[in-house]
Amino acid sequence: MPKRTLPAVTAAAALACLTAFSPLPGGPAPGATASPDSRSAGPGRAAPARFVPGPCPKTPEPIEALDDARCGYLEVPENRSRPGGRTIRLAVAVIPALHPAKPAQDPVVFMAGGPGADTFDDIPFLVDSGLNKDRDLIIMAQRGNLYDQPNLACPEVDRFNAQAVGLGYDSEQAEQLMLKAVKDCRGRLTAQGVDLSAYNTTENAADFADLRKALNLRQWNVYGYSYGSNLALTYLRLHPEGIRAFAIDSITPPQHVTLPWTWASTAEGIDNIIEACAAQPACKERYPDFRQMLTEQVRRLEAHPLTLNVEPPGGGKPVTVVLDGGALLNLIVAFSPRPEDLPAALDELAAGNPERFAKARAAGSVQKTGEFAHGLTQSVVCGEWAPGYSETDVLNAGRKVYPAWPDTVLAEVPQLPFQYPACRIWDVADRAAAQRVPTVSSVPALVISGTFDVKTGASWAKDVARNLSRSTSVLVPGIGHWVVPQSPCAQSVLASFFARPTAPDTSCVDDVEPKPFTIIPE
C-alpha cells in the first residue's frame, strides 16, 4: 500500500473525492446491502440497534486493508430520546489482525477526528501505525459521515471553501458566501427529514456502545484522536462497560472545549515551535526574532493583503489567492508549511517572497466535494462548543494571547471563521451542560500529546489525565496534531500499552527531539 501523506485538515472542513451520496434517509448506505426486514425501518419504525453485514464501501482511492475486511452497517435510532423515531445506518469495517495465528481477543475500535472527517480515509494511517498488528481493528463512521445514511456532507460549503482562497479571510464577502452555503446545506438536510440536533457527541457515544454489543464483543480497546478523543472520553464516561484499555491522542477535553478556548490552544502550540527554534543554536542564530517576525507579518498582511496568481501544489491552472493576516494564521494552524519550515517561510515572506504561504493557500482551491460531513461539524460545534460564549469572548481570548495582533484577525475562531452567525443559522439544541463534564475513570488509559500541536494544545491533557486514575501521559517533542501516525516512538508506546495497559514502555520518548529547523541563506 502506498504511503499517504498525513493531511493538514482545514477546520473550515473542521478543527479536514466523489460527490457525496445523497439518497433519501432510510435507504442503504453506500456499499451496504439492506436485509428485507431492515428496509421497512424508517419514520415511525425505529428498531433496536443491530449490525447488518454487507459489502465494504467503494472508496475514491483503493484501501488495501478493506480487501479482507468484514463490513456492513450498524442500524441505530437517529434520536434515542424519541422512541418510535426513524433509524439511521453507520458504515462499519472490521479489519483483521496481521498475525491471524495468534490475534488478541480484544480488538481496537477507532474514533476519528473532525467532527465530520471521513473515518475510512484514516485506515491507511492506522494500518501503517500498527493498530491491527496483533488484534482486529474496528472502524465505524460516526453518524452523518461519508458512507452513512444519511450523509451530512455539505457540498455547498466545499464549494465555498474552494472559492474562499480568493477572498479576504475575514472579509464581508467571505462571510456572506459562507453563511449562504451553511443556510443552503441546512435547508437541504432538514428537507430530507434529518434531525440535526440528534447529531451530537452523546448520540455518537451511544452508537459505539451499541456497536460493541451488536458485534457480541465482551471487551475491546479504544483509540481516538482530536474530536475522537472528546468522543472517546464521553463514551468512557457514559458507557464504561467493556472497555479494557483506553488511549487518546491530541486531546480535545469535553470540560474545556469552547470556541474561545481555541485561541489559548493555538498560541500554546505556536509558542512551543518558537521555543524549539530558540533551543537549536542554528535556528536561534538565523531567526533570533521569530516571535516578532510572526507578529509583524500578521499585522502587515492584514493591513495590506497580497493578491497573487498561484499554481496549486498539485499542479494545474493558476488560481487567484488573497493572503492576509487571518489567512496566514490559519495556514500555520493547518501545518502549511510544516513547523520545521515555518521560520524560513516567514523570513522569506518578510523579504518579499510569499511563495510558500501562497501555494499553501492555493491548495484550498481543490476540494474533495461531498466527502466531509460539515453537517456533523456544525451540529457538534453549535450545540456543544459555542453556547454560553459570544463573539466578544472570542475576541478577548485572542487579545489575551496576541495583544499586538489586529482585532480583525483575533475576532475569528482559528479555523472556524464566522462561526457564531453560522450557529444562529444552524439552530440546534444547546447541549453544553450535558457535554462539558469531566470523565473520571479507573480504566487503564494512555494520554498522548505533541508539543507542536496548534489545534489542541498539549497542556490541556493534564486535567484529563488527573481524572483518569490509572493513566500514563506521554508528551512527544516536535510532533503536531495526531501524534501516532507521525511518530514511530508513539506507535511503539501505543502498542506496548495495548499489550500491557498498566505498564506501557514509554522509554523511547526520552530520545525524541524536534526535527532541525530549515535554515536558508541570509
Side-chain angles (χ1 to χ4, degrees):
M1 177 186 304
K3 276 270 193 182
R4 298 191 182 189
T5 302
L6 192 67
V9 178
T10 63
L15 264 131
C17 178
L18 300 178
T19 301
F21 263 67
S22 54
L24 291 174
T33 302
S35 61
D37 59 332
S38 75
R39 290 192 186 99
S40 64
R45 300 271 308 180
R50 59 178 184 157
F51 177 73
V52 180
C56 294
K58 301 299 182 184
T59 57
E61 296 181 35
I63 296 176
E64 185 178 325
L66 290 178
D67 292 346
D68 299 318
R70 305 189 310 276
C71 293
Y73 62 81
L74 182 73
E75 188 174 84
V76 295
E78 182 178 49
N79 190 330
R80 290 174 173 83
S81 68
R82 296 179 180 175
R86 71 175 187 173
T87 57
I88 62 175
R89 292 166 180 173
L90 313 180
V92 177
V94 181
I95 298 170
L98 291 176
H99 300 299
K102 295 182 179 180
Q105 295 304 302
D106 41 272
V108 177
V109 63
F110 172 64
M111 298 183 182
D118 169 20
T119 308
F120 279 72
D121 197 45
D122 289 335
I123 291 173
F125 303 117
L126 300 170
V127 170
D128 288 346
S129 299
L131 266 294
N132 69 322
K133 180 180 178 181
D134 300 311
R135 46 182 38 88
D136 290 352
L137 171 63
I138 299 174
I139 303 295
M140 182 168 74
Q142 296 162 24
R143 51 175 50 208
N145 273 199
L146 187 65
Y147 313 119
D148 288 346
Q149 186 53 251
N151 172 10
L152 269 60
C154 292
E156 304 90 342
V157 174
D158 294 324
R159 289 190 287 269
F160 161 75
N161 288 337
Q163 184 180 4
V165 302
L167 305 172
Y169 185 84
D170 49 19
S171 67
E172 182 177 348
Q173 185 182 9
E175 179 175 11
Q176 290 175 350
L177 290 171
M178 179 189 162
L179 296 183
K180 182 181 185 302
V182 170
K183 182 178 180 180
D184 289 348
C185 181
R186 187 187 194 283
R188 179 175 51 77
L189 292 175
T190 55
Q192 294 176 2
V194 176
D195 179 0
L196 294 176
S197 289
Y199 292 79
N200 60 64
T201 306
T202 298
E203 292 282 8
N204 257 340
D207 294 339
F208 280 90
D210 282 344
L211 178 64
R212 183 183 66 83
K213 296 172 186 175
L215 294 179
N216 296 314
L217 295 172
R218 185 180 67 84
Q219 65 177 11
W220 63 8
N221 307 282
V222 174
Y223 171 60
Y225 88 96
S226 193
Y227 169 71
S229 72
N230 188 302
L231 170 56
L233 286 161
T234 303
Y235 172 64
L236 177 60
R237 174 169 61 88
L238 298 178
H239 308 280
E241 58 279 359
I243 301 177
R244 171 182 174 267
F246 177 85
I248 47 178
D249 180 336
S250 303
I251 318 305
T252 308
Q255 67 268 40
H256 294 303
V257 176
T258 64
L259 293 181
W261 166 86
T262 58
W263 271 116
S265 198
T266 290
E268 179 184 346
I270 291 175
D271 284 349
N272 285 344
I273 295 170
I274 292 171
E275 290 169 7
C277 173
Q280 292 183 12
C283 190
K284 181 179 180 179
E285 180 179 353
R286 178 64 182 84
Y287 312 111
D289 300 317
F290 186 175
R291 189 183 305 274
Q292 183 60 31
M293 183 166 55
L294 172 60
T295 294
E296 288 175 354
Q297 294 314 304
V298 169
R299 290 172 60 90
R300 181 176 69 85
L301 287 178
E302 192 67 3
H304 305 287
L306 298 176
T307 301
L308 307 155
N309 288 321
V310 185
E311 183 180 293
K317 184 179 178 181
V319 297
T320 299
V321 302
V322 173
L323 192 60
D324 57 12
L328 178 64
L329 180 276
N330 282 273
L331 289 170
I332 293 171
V333 175
F335 266 35
S336 301
R338 304 291 296 179
E340 62 268 21
D341 295 325
L342 180 56
L346 287 170
D347 187 78
E348 290 171 346
L349 180 63
N353 178 10
E355 182 178 0
R356 294 199 206 213
F357 288 110
K359 286 188 77 70
R361 181 83 160 134
S365 67
V366 181
Q367 294 285 322
K368 296 180 178 180
T369 304
E371 196 170 287
F372 197 97
H374 295 283
L376 177 59
T377 307
Q378 292 297 329
S379 288
V380 170
V381 171
C382 297
E384 300 172 14
W385 302 354
Y389 296 89
S390 68
E391 291 97 327
T392 300
D393 295 315
V394 171
L395 176 59
N396 288 337
R399 286 171 171 170
K400 184 175 181 180
V401 293
Y402 292 119
W405 286 21
D407 280 356
T408 48
V409 174
L410 303 175
E412 302 301 337
V413 179
Q415 292 204 301
L416 290 169
F418 318 121
Q419 193 57 57
Y420 277 100
C423 285
R424 288 191 283 271
I425 292 170
W426 204 252
D427 189 26
V428 291
D430 181 343
R431 296 194 48 79
Q435 185 59 25
R436 293 177 193 165
V437 181
T439 298
V440 179
S441 176
S442 60
V443 171
L446 178 66
V447 180
I448 306 170
S449 302
T451 59
F452 285 4
D453 192 341
V454 290
K455 296 182 181 181
T456 56
S459 69
W460 295 97
K462 294 178 182 177
D463 272 357
V464 170
R466 274 194 287 266
N467 290 318
L468 304 177
S469 61
R470 300 170 72 193
S471 65
T472 300
S473 294
V474 173
L475 181 62
V476 184
I479 299 295
H481 200 62
W482 198 9
V483 177
V484 166
Q486 301 179 72
S487 168
C489 174
Q491 294 167 19
S492 173
V493 172
L494 183 61
S496 74
F497 170 71
F498 285 142
R500 298 176 300 279
T502 58
D505 181 0
T506 65
S507 58
C508 65
V509 179
D510 294 337
D511 298 323
V512 176
E513 294 183 357
K515 293 180 181 178
F517 284 85
T518 300
I519 307 299
I520 58 175
E522 294 191 51

